[in-house]
Amino acid sequence: MTTLTKSTIKEEIQQGADEVIALRRYFHQHPEPSLKEYETIKRIKQELTKLDIPFESVGETGAIGTIIGGKGPGKTILLRADIDALELPDAKDKPYKSLKPGLHHACGHDGHTAALLGAAKVLKNHAADFSGTIKLAFQQAEEIGAGARQFVQGGFVDNVDQVFGIHLSSAVPTGKIEITSGASNASCDIFKINVHGESSHVGKPHLGKDALLSAAAITVELQSIVAREVDPLDQAVVAVGVLNAGTRYNIVANEASLEGTVRTFSHETRRFVLEAVERVARDVAKAHRTTVDFENYDAAAPLINDPIAAKRARKVAAQIVGEEQIITDAPKSMGADDFADFLAVAQGVYAFVGTRNLEDPDTWYGHHHENFDIDEKGLAIATELHVNYALDFLNEI
């Protein structure tokens, strides 16, 4: 067995690049939606078994593998890949196009899974060269914010010293890696407000309590939270995307409902804005003689990269692609990612690996687009980044 060095890592990853691409194409052809990734996790477990990597199931469709270093006890790092696809047609004309109508790996999770399996093979082959433990988290249901919490609540992140994740990005050119300190992605809360009034004929509105008017007023007034209650130097979104009310043009509506989202970049602002949304809804409803029920679904915390971990990731990434290819000042994204749930309980960082081939427009489509595809050359970079980051962390004295 050869000693593990940067050059041997790169050589092994290049030798296994076609295998990682083949895995990515398999997963791309067989996408499964959130919490229904049964065949996906079955294939992942088969690959882990071939590598002689023991694993545990996490929920029905997640798994966590374990590689123990041969140099004795040490730190523990968790590497994460999300595995779910989207309910979206695959419109591109490629040999590896989705075989399941209406389902598409349009966010790159197929590549995440393949790259982590590729990294697992290299790390397992050289377990004798490091101390400590590597956890391999193949996480379900990122798209609905229901997967990472199963790992956290199940205790699988207990005693983990660091977490590391990668997201492929069609917005970043192949060969570049985006690593920022601090807040990177917003939190995501999905609220629903049910408004209860009382029906009457529209010609006698005084005999009713108009849930439609109340819901409309709540929708408008919610916009004052960001405008007048949040520090202008902070960033937050309160948006209502669904408003339903009424059954007939000449009846005062007795029921209405609205659904929206809150996005913020800090835990403190998130708590404040959510409390404000509920307060405003109840107070405005009361002014209209109506009542409300307030529900909120916690989809993801704000994704906040630890500065020390980000510094390490930039150093490791620069050794792979060159320091000039590292992006450290990427703008924040209001899109959420539940890797934030791992970062809420353990130090770590989330990196974005470019898959936009500047000479191939097929790789320029945005995530969640029906024509989404990646430059598969980015998979080797993602694989190498997983391996090198884990070893750099574990072997640090």
Side-chain angles (χ1 to χ4, degrees):
M1 184 177 292
T2 59
T3 302
L4 196 57
T5 65
K6 295 290 191 302
S7 60
T8 59
I9 290 171
K10 189 175 290 291
E11 182 180 346
E12 285 189 38
I13 288 171
Q14 291 303 320
Q15 289 174 350
D18 288 344
E19 183 179 358
V20 170
I21 289 173
L23 279 169
R24 181 259 167 172
R25 293 186 177 188
Y26 169 83
F27 291 123
H28 197 84
Q29 287 185 298
H30 301 88
E32 294 179 294
S34 302
L35 298 178
K36 297 180 181 179
E37 311 94 334
Y38 298 107
E39 293 304 313
T40 301
I41 200 63
K42 181 179 177 181
R43 178 61 186 269
I44 291 167
K45 289 177 177 178
Q46 289 172 349
E47 294 298 320
L48 293 174
T49 299
K50 285 197 298 186
L51 296 173
D52 196 26
I53 296 175
F55 57 83
E56 297 178 72
S57 294
V58 181
E60 290 188 358
T61 54
I64 188 163
T66 302
I67 304 174
I68 298 176
K71 288 189 172 181
K75 296 180 288 187
T76 298
I77 186 169
L78 181 148
L79 307 178
R80 176 266 207 169
D82 40 12
I83 69 173
D84 53 330
L86 290 157
E87 292 89 343
L88 179 76
D90 188 350
K92 62 182 174 292
D93 183 19
K94 295 290 177 69
Y96 48 83
K97 178 179 178 177
S98 171
L99 298 175
K100 297 186 176 182
L103 291 172
H104 183 193
H105 264 297
C107 200
H109 297 187
D110 51 343
H112 303 169
T113 303
L116 186 55
L117 286 171
K121 182 176 182 178
V122 175
L123 291 166
K124 178 64 177 180
N125 285 344
H126 294 277
D129 294 297
F130 63 87
S131 59
T133 301
I134 298 172
K135 299 284 187 178
L136 307 166
F138 293 91
Q139 180 216 303
Q140 65 274 55
E142 185 278 328
E143 294 292 353
I144 62 171
R149 66 189 56 188
Q150 294 191 42
F151 285 76
V152 174
Q153 294 172 359
F156 296 98
V157 194
D158 295 351
N159 303 314
V160 168
D161 299 295
Q162 190 131 131
V163 293
F164 182 70
I166 287 174
H167 203 301
L168 303 177
S169 175
S170 65
V172 179
T174 305
K176 292 184 179 292
I177 301 174
E178 193 177 276
I179 304 167
T180 57
S181 297
S184 172
N185 292 70
S187 61
C188 178
D189 289 279
I190 305 168
F191 63 82
K192 183 174 183 179
I193 301 169
N194 296 307
V195 185
H196 308 291
E198 187 174 328
S199 296
S200 71
H201 192 286
V202 295
K204 296 182 179 181
H206 60 292
L207 299 180
K209 299 174 182 177
D210 196 339
L212 187 156
L213 181 60
S214 180
I218 290 170
T219 301
V220 172
E221 196 60 32
L222 288 178
Q223 305 312 305
S224 69
I225 296 171
V226 174
R228 288 294 177 266
E229 297 193 42
V230 175
D231 186 335
L233 299 180
D234 202 346
Q235 293 170 297
V237 166
V238 177
V240 175
V242 176
L243 177 57
N244 292 310
T247 58
R248 184 176 165 84
Y249 77 96
N250 61 350
I251 299 176
V252 170
N254 67 345
E255 297 289 337
S257 66
L258 53 95
E259 298 176 46
T261 184
V262 169
R263 307 288 174 111
T264 69
F265 288 103
S266 77
H267 300 290
E268 297 77 17
T269 302
R270 182 190 191 193
R271 285 192 294 269
F272 173 81
V273 173
L274 280 172
E275 290 171 359
V277 169
E278 183 173 3
R279 166 174 51 80
V280 167
R282 293 192 186 283
D283 289 349
V284 172
K286 184 178 180 181
H288 286 267
R289 301 179 300 139
T290 59
T291 60
V292 299
D293 297 325
F294 180 83
E295 305 170 13
N296 183 64
Y297 175 63
D298 167 10
L303 195 156
I304 303 172
N305 290 322
D306 179 81
I308 297 174
K311 183 178 179 181
R312 180 191 303 278
R314 289 193 292 267
K315 177 193 72 173
V316 170
Q319 294 168 349
I320 298 171
V321 297
E323 191 169 349
E324 70 283 356
Q325 301 284 51
I326 308 303
I327 300 169
T328 62
D329 57 352
K332 297 175 183 176
S333 170
M334 281 294 173
D337 191 301
D338 74 352
F339 185 74
D341 291 347
F342 291 105
L343 290 174
V345 296
Q347 184 188 72
V349 61
Y350 202 43
F352 291 83
V353 173
T355 58
R356 182 187 185 95
N357 185 331
L358 299 181
E359 298 179 356
D360 181 4
D362 288 347
T363 66
W364 299 359
Y365 292 100
H367 295 245
H368 295 216
H369 191 283
E370 61 269 20
N371 285 308
F372 178 83
D373 203 358
I374 66 170
D375 179 0
E376 293 176 322
K377 295 185 182 69
L379 294 173
I381 296 173
T383 302
E384 191 172 356
L385 186 55
H386 269 307
V387 172
N388 288 4
Y389 189 92
L391 294 176
D392 189 87
F393 177 73
L394 293 178
N395 288 332
E396 181 185 50
I397 298 175

